[in-house]
Amino acid sequence: MTGKDLLDARTKKYLSQSDLAHKLGVAPSQISRWERSSSISKRYQRELRSILFDEDLPMVPEEQTAD
């Protein structure tokens, strides 16, 4: 997932950066940083996909997932 993917998915769900940050337990500034970067912390990838795409994915290394 790229920052652009995150931004697009977040806005489609009508979530503010603050809303998403609260769900993840991070600061809103962290969401902003992820949206401006080319990658997102692996630590939060699974939770983000669950929130934004209603996916319940098994924990799989990033290189094995299809984005």
Side-chain angles (χ1 to χ4, degrees):
M1 175 186 298
T2 67
K4 181 173 179 351
D5 296 334
L6 173 58
L7 174 62
D8 291 345
R10 179 181 62 75
T11 56
K12 284 179 184 174
K13 287 285 223 179
Y14 301 102
L15 291 170
S16 68
Q17 288 180 340
S18 294
D19 292 336
L20 183 56
H22 178 73
K23 289 177 180 285
L24 290 170
V26 300
S29 60
Q30 184 63 51
I31 304 299
S32 177
R33 279 192 293 275
W34 287 338
E35 289 180 350
R36 289 180 309 208
S37 73
S38 61
S39 65
I40 298 165
S41 171
K42 289 181 185 179
R43 177 179 177 189
Y44 293 100
Q45 291 263 345
R46 184 170 187 251
E47 287 180 82
L48 283 166
R49 288 184 183 280
S50 177
I51 293 166
L52 298 173
F53 302 111
D54 299 320
E55 294 179 2
D56 189 18
L57 298 174
M59 296 187 86
V60 178
E62 183 177 323
E63 52 274 359
Q64 293 181 11
T65 62
D67 285 1

